[in-house]
Amino acid sequence: MKSLLLVFISLPALCLAQMPPEIVKAERAKLLEGVASVPKSGAPGPVAIWGNIAFPILAAASGRESNELALAAAAGYGKGRIILFGHNSYLDGGVGGDHAKLLENCVKWTGNKEKPRVGLWEVSSTDFFDNHGFRTEKLAELDAKSLGSVDVVILNAQRATTAETGSAVIEWVKSGGGLIAGMTGWAFSQTSGGKELAVSHGLNQALMPAGIAFTDMSAFDQLRVFEARADLPRLMNASEAVTAIKRQNIGGVPLTPEDVKQASNAIQVALASQPPDRSNLRDAVMAALGSTGADSPVPTKAAPLTQQQHASARIRLGMETRVLRLSANESVTAHPAHAAFPGEAPTEAPRISSEIAVKPAIPGWTSTGLYAAAGEAITVTVPAAVADKGYAVRIGCHSDTLYHLDTWSRAPDITKSVALTQTETKAASAFGGLIYIEVPGRVTDDAPFSAIIKGGIAAPLFVLGQDTDEKWNTELKKRPAPWAELACDKMIVSVPSDVARTVNNPTQVMEFWKKQVEAQDDISNQTAERKRPERMVADVQISAGFMHSGYPIMLHVPEADEMVTFNRIKFPGWGYHHEVGHNHQRGDFTFDGTGEVTNNVLAMYVYHAVLEKDWLIGHPNITEEARKEHIQKIKRSSDKWQTWKTDPFLALTTYIQLVQEFGWDSWRKYLHSFADPGFGPAPANDDAKRDQFLVRYSKITNKNLGPFFTAWGIPVSEKARTEVSKLDAWMPKGM
């Protein structure tokens, strides 16, 4: 595997610029020899690239974006070589497609020989490497002695590594070792008890001089496979991007809009990996952007920052927000963008001290009824028994990040979470926000405790069963913070205080939300699973869609009014129940084509069971006229299955017909059947899910639904059809 790369990295440091494109292409071609494509595995994230001898290997656009991100990247450092994968599943050759050939190439390339000695760390299987003729051993330690016995280390970086370990590995690479590492960077916070990848992962910090690192970003949601291409955008390297922007700013060749987008993206990804105390890349970016002064534009809904018109301002703001999120906990000042969103906290409001009851048995965000003003430190005191046990203080509920979007209506990252590693912790946010105590998902001691928070501003907070409408209207709603919450044990909604203050009947509102979640819990057989309330948060801009599911469910500020209104025929409406339905979806009853369907069945159930209204009034695409058109469309289709699985409301009509004929109890029994061993094991794949949909629902209704499935084009096996063939066939009118 001798190459021009060796010549390039052997040059004196003062001679080095970015690698010439012909060298990059030649080295990438070697790594991709015999590789046509590699499947996506799990939920990978992008690898950051900014080094002089660093380049992407596999890349693709993420979602609707045209700019490309790297799943895998390579770098030369000293006499050695490094390859990183944005998911740890790519370390054992078992992903499928041409992944095995790619990994074989990677081992030879990093080892710089045909049969390097391979050491495995936290990689369980040696089969792939043994079968390809590599001498393999498992390493118990990552120290100079262990590393000295191998040429290449395959390293699962998901586990937190110490600074000492990282230093040992990078020094070994510098002297000629080959490193192949992978991790799911966005999950590191979860697997490490709330630690930040950029500041707490020893290997990632050690990789900084090589100009390649993992990030805590996610990507590639809609992708299924990575095509192997020798030609990839040169501006995927952040240093290349900085140079291109600098040349443009001094009168060089102007960048195209697509180049600006790719360059900006590469810089944002690289910045996502940087520890706050490492400033070389940030300094280079600032120098390339030039001075913009105090009048730098601030994104607002009325005047957003766009990729094409405000590229430099977006890069600068993105860099500032990343640094602020990771900066010293109490030494930040208010960022100018906070005034636009989430808003100014009143300067005259008293800063108070409050004792907050925390229940470790309820994971997630514990609301405190307090707000941290932008740039002002708060102090959190917890018992010694819970210090450094994964608890954190969170400032801000607007947790969506917007770096990937073409338009920013607010700063792209405005919340902050600080681990409570000591009994006393000081924290501050440059943007401010509601204050929470974050309870980790797994705790060994679930005894309740109290946290003392000093320096916050009282925020409107209504808790069902604890507060009365009278107390809300005379006292609680008048608290001065700019954001408020209404809460019950099944749902918490976060809205601007101005919106919350319009509510006079919070008991009725939260009783509805309690029943709404309980109804979906009940029919989907998830009551026993619930450990925490759902959350819904209004934001001026969210990361995707009109609303999106998750923790929290996110929606736009104009919809906050409807979220707290319970006195109109369809309020709160379809979108909220749709997103809560997403949070109730399970793989057993959701197969390809039904990701936006089975949640809507749960949404319709809310109209029936909670709103006690006609459950077909919620959306214009399920009216009688719309359903008739869906039936005609499927009859006209030459490829019924393709039509069915790509038209969510057409597919929903199938479920509507089942519920209309057999009642909501049939849907309940179907969802509950997956916990009933009498129906057999849960389905293992999509084919089995469709088969079991037919078999289970047929048995529940005592009808053969095979012809009905055929009419809609839902493919099932002959075995499944045979299993229900002795039942009387059923077909709804009009089919």
Side-chain angles (χ1 to χ4, degrees):
M1 304 294 286
K2 304 280 185 186
S3 64
L4 290 172
L5 180 68
L6 290 178
V7 176
F8 187 75
I9 64 178
S10 65
L11 293 173
L14 290 176
C15 297
L16 289 183
Q18 293 302 124
M19 276 199 300
E22 60 271 19
I23 294 182
V24 172
K25 186 174 180 178
E27 296 304 316
R28 184 158 49 234
K30 291 176 182 179
L31 287 162
L32 297 177
E33 182 180 357
V35 179
S37 64
V38 175
K40 185 182 81 169
S41 179
V47 175
I49 309 166
W50 71 94
N52 298 100
I53 315 174
F55 58 91
I57 302 171
L58 284 176
S62 182
R64 299 175 183 174
E65 303 300 312
S66 60
N67 48 277
E68 299 205 31
L69 302 169
L71 168 74
Y77 182 63
K79 298 179 180 179
R81 299 176 175 187
I82 302 164
I83 290 176
L84 301 185
F85 286 95
H87 198 282
N88 47 10
S89 62
Y90 287 98
L91 298 177
D92 63 5
V95 167
D98 296 323
H99 173 231
K101 178 59 176 174
L102 173 64
L103 188 57
E104 180 185 3
N105 293 346
C106 289
V107 172
K108 293 177 180 179
W109 187 86
T110 53
N112 202 29
K113 61 178 66 172
E114 278 298 309
K115 294 296 179 182
R117 299 166 299 167
V118 176
L120 304 181
W121 192 77
E122 296 290 316
V123 177
S124 57
S125 175
T126 65
D127 292 349
F128 169 83
F129 305 99
D130 293 339
N131 292 338
H132 283 77
F134 300 116
R135 288 177 291 168
T136 309
E137 64 177 281
K138 289 191 174 183
L139 303 180
E141 301 291 338
L142 289 175
D143 53 23
K145 181 179 179 181
S146 299
L147 293 168
S149 67
V150 295
D151 301 307
V152 174
V153 168
I154 316 292
L155 188 155
N156 183 345
Q158 199 65 43
R159 200 176 89 182
T161 50
T162 65
E164 291 76 17
T165 297
S167 177
V169 170
I170 202 65
E171 286 301 315
W172 171 75
V173 170
K174 189 175 182 179
S175 64
L179 171 66
I180 301 174
M183 75 177 298
T184 313
W186 60 263
F188 178 73
S189 177
Q190 302 170 24
T191 59
S192 65
K195 295 179 180 178
E196 291 278 0
L197 174 64
V199 297
S200 300
H201 198 287
L203 177 63
N204 220 43
Q205 293 211 19
L207 287 169
M208 291 294 123
I212 186 173
F214 300 108
T215 73
D216 60 3
M217 303 171 71
S218 61
F220 315 116
D221 290 345
Q222 307 302 316
L223 198 71
R224 294 193 174 184
V225 66
F226 293 88
E227 302 295 339
R229 294 171 291 149
D231 288 306
L232 289 175
R234 188 161 174 78
L235 295 183
M236 290 182 68
N237 182 304
S239 291
E240 289 275 8
V242 169
T243 300
I245 291 172
K246 186 174 182 179
R247 286 173 179 165
Q248 176 181 260
N249 288 350
I250 60 175
V253 177
L255 298 174
T256 68
E258 286 303 310
D259 284 342
V260 170
K261 189 174 182 180
Q262 183 65 66
S264 300
N265 181 74
I267 292 169
Q268 296 288 5
V269 173
L271 288 171
S273 69
Q274 306 296 308
D277 59 343
R278 305 288 178 92
S279 60
N280 289 349
L281 180 61
R282 291 199 303 275
D283 289 347
V285 174
M286 294 295 284
L289 295 177
S291 175
T292 59
D295 58 348
S296 291
V298 167
T300 66
K301 188 70 174 177
L305 295 185
T306 65
Q307 186 71 267
Q308 291 192 8
Q309 294 181 330
H310 310 98
S312 294
R314 282 169 54 98
I315 294 171
R316 183 183 298 275
L317 179 57
M319 180 168 57
E320 290 170 352
T321 56
R322 291 191 188 282
V323 172
L324 286 168
R325 182 167 63 86
L326 297 173
S327 60
N329 294 336
E330 56 180 306
S331 60
V332 301
T333 57
H335 192 283
H338 90 277
F341 194 85
E344 294 271 18
T347 56
E348 71 280 2
R351 275 52 173 171
I352 64 174
S353 176
S354 184
E355 183 174 346
I356 307 301
V358 180
K359 297 178 180 178
I362 303 176
W365 305 353
T366 298
S367 296
T368 66
L370 295 172
Y371 190 93
E376 292 187 15
I378 60 169
T379 303
V380 183
T381 304
V382 296
V386 302
D388 205 22
K389 294 295 192 300
Y391 293 87
V393 57
R394 162 173 285 275
I395 301 176
C397 58
H398 302 97
S399 55
D400 271 14
T401 56
L402 313 179
Y403 295 107
H404 62 292
L405 299 179
D406 283 340
T407 298
W408 292 350
S409 295
R410 64 159 168 83
D413 188 356
I414 62 174
T415 65
K416 189 169 186 176
S417 180
V418 178
L420 299 175
T421 58
Q422 308 293 328
T423 57
E424 183 176 289
T425 301
K426 293 184 182 296
S429 162
F431 296 91
L434 289 168
I435 302 171
Y436 305 89
I437 299 297
E438 291 187 282
V439 178
R442 294 186 293 267
V443 293
T444 56
D445 183 0
D446 62 0
F449 65 90
S450 292
I452 307 297
I453 300 178
K454 297 179 180 179
I457 299 170
L461 172 63
F462 173 88
V463 180
L464 183 67
Q466 174 181 307
D467 301 314
T468 65
D469 287 357
E470 180 183 9
K471 184 178 181 182
W472 169 256
N473 287 308
T474 59
E475 176 190 343
L476 300 178
K477 69 162 55 173
K478 297 178 181 179
R479 291 177 175 176
W483 281 82
E485 294 190 318
L486 307 177
C488 67
D489 63 336
K490 299 298 189 296
M491 174 67 78
I492 302 172
V493 300
S494 306
V495 297
S497 292
D498 288 347
V499 172
R501 292 180 186 121
T502 67
V503 177
N504 297 318
N505 57 338
T507 297
Q508 185 185 42
V509 171
M510 295 318 297
E511 283 179 344
F512 164 77
W513 284 116
K514 177 179 174 69
K515 292 175 183 177
Q516 191 256 24
V517 175
E518 288 175 342
Q520 293 203 26
D521 281 352
D522 174 60
I523 200 167
S524 62
N525 198 27
Q526 295 175 43
T527 299
E529 293 182 25
R530 181 157 301 284
K531 304 300 181 186
R532 66 186 183 190
E534 300 284 343
R535 280 186 173 274
M536 291 197 294
V537 174
D539 197 334
V540 72
Q541 185 179 17
I542 63 177
S543 60
F546 178 68
M547 299 180 182
H548 72 71
S549 57
Y551 184 86
I553 293 167
M554 299 298 297
L555 55 129
H556 293 89
V557 168
E559 280 60 60
D561 287 313
E562 182 178 340
M563 186 165 59
V564 295
T565 300
F566 187 69
N567 59 6
R568 299 190 200 175
I569 188 170
K570 293 190 292 184
F571 275 30
W574 180 272
Y576 312 96
H577 317 316
H578 170 101
E579 302 302 345
V580 175
H582 270 310
N583 283 358
H584 282 82
Q585 280 177 310
R586 297 295 182 267
D588 290 343
F589 60 86
T590 301
F591 49 85
D592 184 28
T594 62
E596 295 295 333
V597 180
T598 55
N599 61 315
N600 281 337
V601 184
L602 295 169
M604 292 187 301
Y605 182 68
V606 172
Y607 284 87
H608 166 75
V610 185
L611 288 165
E612 297 181 344
K613 300 180 186 299
D614 178 355
W615 50 275
L616 294 171
I617 67 171
H619 198 284
N621 282 333
I622 60 172
T623 62
E624 183 176 1
E625 293 75 16
R627 300 196 308 274
K628 286 180 179 179
E629 175 53 34
H630 296 152
I631 292 170
Q632 293 307 310
K633 183 177 179 180
I634 203 69
K635 286 182 176 181
R636 296 190 301 264
S637 176
S638 60
D639 187 343
K640 287 181 168 55
W641 173 231
Q642 182 65 22
T643 299
W644 192 92
K645 69 180 182 178
T646 56
D647 188 335
F649 282 102
L650 181 147
L652 184 60
T653 302
T654 303
Y655 292 82
I656 290 172
Q657 289 178 321
L658 290 171
V659 175
Q660 282 181 315
E661 178 69 19
F662 303 110
W664 280 108
D665 195 49
S666 66
W667 177 248
R668 176 194 302 276
K669 288 178 178 177
Y670 170 59
L671 299 188
H672 282 240
S673 73
F674 295 100
D676 183 350
F679 283 90
N685 53 46
D686 263 17
D687 290 342
K689 291 174 187 179
R690 294 192 303 272
D691 279 1
Q692 292 200 23
F693 182 24
L694 169 63
V695 172
R696 289 170 186 258
Y697 227 106
S698 293
K699 290 182 177 179
I700 287 166
T701 60
N702 201 33
K703 296 291 182 181
N704 175 6
L705 300 179
F708 175 65
F709 275 48
T710 298
W712 280 108
I714 305 171
V716 292
S717 69
E718 284 304 313
K719 180 181 178 182
R721 292 182 183 279
T722 300
E723 191 171 346
V724 300
S725 62
K726 294 182 179 180
L727 300 173
D728 292 338
W730 170 80
M731 187 74 69
K733 293 180 181 180
M735 290 296 291

